[in-house]
Amino acid sequence: MPSETNTPKLVSKEGKLIDLKEAVTFRRNFAIISHPDAGKTTLTEKLLLYGGAIQQAGAVKARGEQRKVTSDWMELEKQRGISITSTVLQFVYNKITINLLDTPGHQDFSEDTYRTLAAADNAVMLEDAAKGLEPQTRKLFEVCRLRNIPIFTFINKMDRPGQEPLSLLDEIEAELDLATYAVNWPIGSGDLFRGVIERHSREVVLFSRAVRGKQSKERRLKLNDPALNKLVEKDLLDKALEELELLEAAGSDLDIELIRAGEITPVFFGSATTNFGVKSFLDSFLEMAQGPVARNASDGPVDPMRETFTGFVFKLQANMDPRHRDRVAFVRVCSGRFEKDMTVSHARTGKNIRLSRPQKIFAQDRAVVEDAYPGDVIGLNNPGMFSIGDTLYAGKRVEYEGIPCFSPEIFCWLRNPNPSAFKNFRKGVNELREEGAVQILYDNDQSKRDPILAAVGQLQLEVVQHRLENEYSVETRLEPLGYQVARWVDGGWPSLEKVGRIFNCKIVQDSWQRPVLLFKNLWNLNQLEQDHPSLSLSSVAPVVSGVNPITL
Ligand code: G4P
């Protein structure tokens, strides 16, 4: 086992010298947060084109075709035309290895997105210029804020009529309490969109409407170039310059430290379909984004330059390919070098595991990885031993802070009408909970042992039922409980016992036997908080580490 020093030089199995520092320095990872339809798929596709990861625009969507051979429940994805699963896309651009953690667009799957954000070092907030901030973006932003991760804003669809750019910035500042720095400034919008003024170069990048599907050509002129007057209407240019002056006088400065602390968001205007502004966005992003950061563990932060490998599981996915009935655990590498076939320790159980078939997942495709570095994500075959939040490490013991569960809003009894199918029912429920497809709560009354499904969105429940039927051959019935709000009790059962009897809520327990209060509405919650000011409630489940959950 390598010694625990700070020297960044490692030796691979083949005797090759590996510079960990270089691997870390040339790595960036990010997730895109957006509301459905803002253009995430389109932007992702354009970014991948720059990395040469795909050869033609449209390839990301065209993958739908390949899904014919993937799992049954992805069938549901196809039927609904939505993206449920998150995948990881890795590509190299300008010598930098970029990991794009893709997240499901549908709001019913935001839990999955929350967990993916736990593995991201940076986030790109994508807005539709006509719609501004939308509910899903706001929600996901809050999750980023919990970890203060740097946010880069791309305001998309400038080729369509949009809101005033200044109001878009005001909205971010006022509603998200996040300062903005416009890296470029649009000249007109919609039919009158003429391009952007790049602030650092004082150049105008002209927009030309390309044929659909083709990339528009980039033409640059200095702001003082007389030719500009012939190409851009004077009133549009004057307006843009006036607005820029305003920003320069009253706006924030470009402060890289504040950007990395998540306190200022650099804002870029562009248009993903026409590929306008995407390359300059990527270039600036790579300059400003933070590399793999130190992660908090029980004994303090772990530097990515720690020589030995550490990582944590942030997502589990079963049956990505029904031909193999596989289960994949997605691990974010946090420190050191991960190498195929290495033996690591599993912090929760203390077991040693040989990681013999690590995979790199690109959308639905897989390849075996030989090695991986901080900021990368690897897929491990998971024969039921991993749970979300689990730490894997080599060398000295490390246990990362787990990943919090977010407050569900829909609660249903899950009934199994066929007692002879109980074994499959139990297996399915336990595995889907482990995977984080849904949260499972239990009634305090031991005689009512049917599980309670707790979800963020209705569609999440549909997927659970669909998968139980298709993957575990059990038909189930859902019975709504009629509650909409869940709160965890700080201090657990002792704190709850201290306040005595409480009304207008149902007390249940989560899979870690911690009390959860369910309320019919926020009014009832507020009432309880007023009646019992000493009771401290939380909408985010406390992080669990080192404890095994109860199973059905
Ligand atoms: P999502 O993944 O965030 O849900 O969004 P997606 O990229 O699928 O884009 C949603 C719609 O917005 C698509 O149109 C897409 O073409 C369009 N769009 C994305 N970026 C831009 C842009 O910069 N300008 C304009 N004008 N439109 C943009 P669609 O009609 O739903 O699909 P499609 O037929 O174009 O594929």
Side-chain angles (χ1 to χ4, degrees):
M1 207 161 280
S3 68
E4 196 72 45
T5 68
N6 276 336
T7 129
K9 301 278 186 209
L10 304 175
V11 180
S12 77
K13 272 191 308 213
E14 305 78 39
K16 209 173 89 189
L17 202 62
I18 292 150
D19 192 335
L20 182 60
K21 184 157 188 229
E22 191 175 304
V24 170
T25 310
F26 288 96
R27 258 177 177 73
R28 295 291 178 274
N29 108 0
F30 70 99
I32 302 182
I33 57 172
S34 67
H35 195 83
D37 261 358
K40 185 160 69 75
T41 314
T42 316
L43 180 68
T44 302
E45 201 168 85
K46 299 295 176 286
L47 291 170
L48 293 180
L49 275 172
Y50 287 110
I54 54 173
Q55 299 306 320
Q56 63 183 82
V60 172
K61 276 193 176 160
R63 280 173 192 281
E65 280 306 294
Q66 295 171 11
R67 286 196 188 150
K68 283 208 180 89
V69 294
T70 60
S71 78
D72 298 341
W73 65 276
M74 283 181 189
E75 194 56 36
L76 192 69
E77 253 186 353
K78 258 175 43 193
Q79 287 164 11
R80 298 292 194 103
I82 52 166
S83 156
I84 296 174
T85 43
S86 308
T87 46
V88 185
L89 308 165
Q90 189 182 68
F91 60 101
V92 179
Y93 172 75
N94 276 353
K95 296 193 184 145
I96 298 184
T97 302
I98 302 167
N99 291 293
L100 197 175
L101 309 180
D102 194 13
T103 51
H106 198 286
Q107 60 187 30
D108 282 6
F109 293 94
S110 25
E111 272 212 86
D112 206 10
T113 306
Y114 296 155
R115 290 190 288 256
T116 300
L117 288 173
D121 295 316
N122 302 279
V124 170
M125 180 163 80
L126 182 66
E127 274 189 34
D128 180 328
K131 297 189 176 147
L133 282 176
E134 294 182 83
Q136 179 70 352
T137 327
R138 285 195 180 90
K139 237 175 163 175
L140 294 173
F141 168 79
E142 290 305 328
V143 181
C144 295
R145 171 141 284 175
L146 281 176
R147 289 191 34 242
N148 296 329
I149 62 177
I151 312 240
F152 298 80
T153 304
F154 188 88
I155 299 192
N156 192 26
K157 307 197 187 181
M158 288 306 295
D159 57 311
R160 280 205 195 144
Q163 294 183 27
E164 281 297 321
L166 282 176
S167 351
L168 289 166
L169 296 198
D170 280 350
E171 188 179 44
I172 296 173
E173 303 227 347
E175 288 197 27
L176 304 183
D177 193 20
L178 176 66
T180 58
Y181 178 88
V183 178
N184 63 22
W185 196 250
I187 308 172
S189 81
D191 287 344
L192 296 175
F193 183 50
R194 299 293 176 249
V196 292
I197 303 170
E198 234 176 43
R199 283 176 78 179
H200 77 279
S201 64
R202 306 295 290 171
E203 282 178 352
V204 172
V205 187
L206 289 170
F207 171 71
S208 63
R209 205 166 283 271
V211 182
R212 195 182 158 90
K214 292 265 161 52
Q215 183 173 343
S216 64
K217 282 218 179 70
E218 188 180 285
R219 185 169 168 204
R220 287 170 171 267
L221 289 176
K222 282 278 171 209
L223 250 181
N224 56 9
D225 190 325
L228 202 56
N229 298 330
K230 292 202 187 86
L231 297 161
V232 176
E233 293 86 333
K234 186 173 177 326
D235 56 331
L236 292 180
L237 188 59
D238 284 351
K239 177 170 177 283
L241 286 170
E242 263 167 40
E243 289 169 341
L244 253 187
E245 231 170 77
L246 245 167
L247 284 183
E248 254 138 41
S252 312
D253 291 330
L254 181 64
D255 181 325
I256 200 81
E257 291 309 315
L258 292 180
I259 290 173
R260 292 192 175 158
E263 288 177 33
I264 292 185
T265 179
V267 179
F268 303 78
F269 291 85
S271 158
T273 35
T274 54
N275 206 353
F276 181 81
V278 177
K279 184 172 178 295
S280 42
F281 165 73
L282 183 59
D283 289 333
S284 306
F285 169 80
L286 291 177
E287 255 172 49
M288 293 187 252
Q290 63 181 6
V293 285
R295 299 253 149 190
N296 284 337
S298 46
D299 291 341
V302 178
D303 196 297
M305 294 293 290
R306 171 189 147 121
E307 191 179 308
T308 46
F309 162 78
T310 62
F312 65 87
V313 177
F314 68 94
K315 180 184 163 64
L316 297 176
Q317 182 88 65
N319 302 342
M320 286 179 81
D321 186 343
R323 288 171 307 185
H324 303 299
R325 290 257 147 203
D326 59 349
R327 302 176 77 200
V328 177
F330 290 81
V331 175
R332 142 94 199 209
V333 179
C334 298
S335 74
R337 175 177 190 254
F338 169 83
E339 209 172 313
K340 179 174 168 285
D341 288 329
M342 78 190 298
T343 298
V344 298
S345 305
H346 183 234
R348 183 168 50 86
T349 59
K351 286 188 178 146
N352 286 337
I353 312 169
R354 182 160 174 261
L355 303 176
S356 52
R357 282 177 55 205
Q359 298 168 338
K360 191 188 265 180
I361 318 267
F362 183 96
Q364 309 304 328
D365 303 336
R366 327 267 179 93
V368 171
V369 279
E370 292 299 322
D371 56 3
Y373 297 90
D376 288 350
V377 170
I378 46 173
L380 301 176
N381 266 331
N382 170 31
M385 74 175 61
F386 300 127
S387 291
I388 286 170
D390 279 358
T391 301
L392 300 177
Y393 65 91
K396 192 173 150 229
R397 189 176 191 281
V398 167
E399 183 155 26
Y400 284 106
E401 279 181 352
I403 301 177
C405 286
F406 289 85
S407 192
E409 289 161 24
I410 304 178
F411 307 88
C412 287
W413 290 110
L414 181 69
R415 308 285 192 205
N416 164 34
N418 178 4
S420 67
F422 182 72
K423 249 174 111 175
N424 281 5
F425 177 70
R426 183 168 62 187
K427 186 168 191 287
V429 169
N430 290 339
E431 290 187 359
L432 292 178
R433 185 203 50 76
E434 250 174 44
E435 208 183 284
V438 71
Q439 293 180 43
I440 304 280
L441 306 175
Y442 294 99
D443 201 297
N444 272 345
D445 180 347
Q446 297 284 330
S447 65
K448 297 182 186 161
R449 251 356 216 176
D450 274 349
I452 299 168
L453 299 188
V456 174
Q458 186 65 34
L459 202 50
Q460 220 180 323
L461 299 179
E462 277 180 49
V463 168
V464 167
Q465 275 198 299
H466 185 91
R467 292 186 60 184
L468 283 171
E469 191 176 336
N470 286 277
E471 294 165 26
Y472 301 91
S473 312
V474 262
E475 275 186 47
T476 52
R477 221 179 49 231
L478 290 179
E479 267 173 44
L481 262 89
Y483 293 92
Q484 290 181 359
V485 183
R487 288 293 180 270
W488 277 263
V489 181
D490 296 342
W493 295 107
S495 308
L496 196 57
E497 274 151 24
K498 251 192 232 155
V499 297
R501 261 177 85 88
I502 51 175
F503 299 96
N504 286 330
C505 72
K506 181 175 175 63
I507 305 172
V508 295
Q509 46 184 288
D510 69 6
S511 297
W512 285 266
Q513 289 177 294
R514 300 173 301 188
V516 182
L517 308 185
L518 304 185
F519 299 88
K520 289 214 157 64
N521 48 46
L522 281 174
W523 193 86
N524 283 346
L525 165 64
N526 293 339
Q527 192 68 43
L528 183 93
E529 284 180 324
Q530 276 171 22
D531 292 349
H532 301 283
S534 64
L535 194 64
S536 168
L537 300 176
S538 165
S539 62
V540 178
V543 167
V544 206
S545 52
V547 191
N548 291 322
I550 48 170
T551 50
L552 185 63

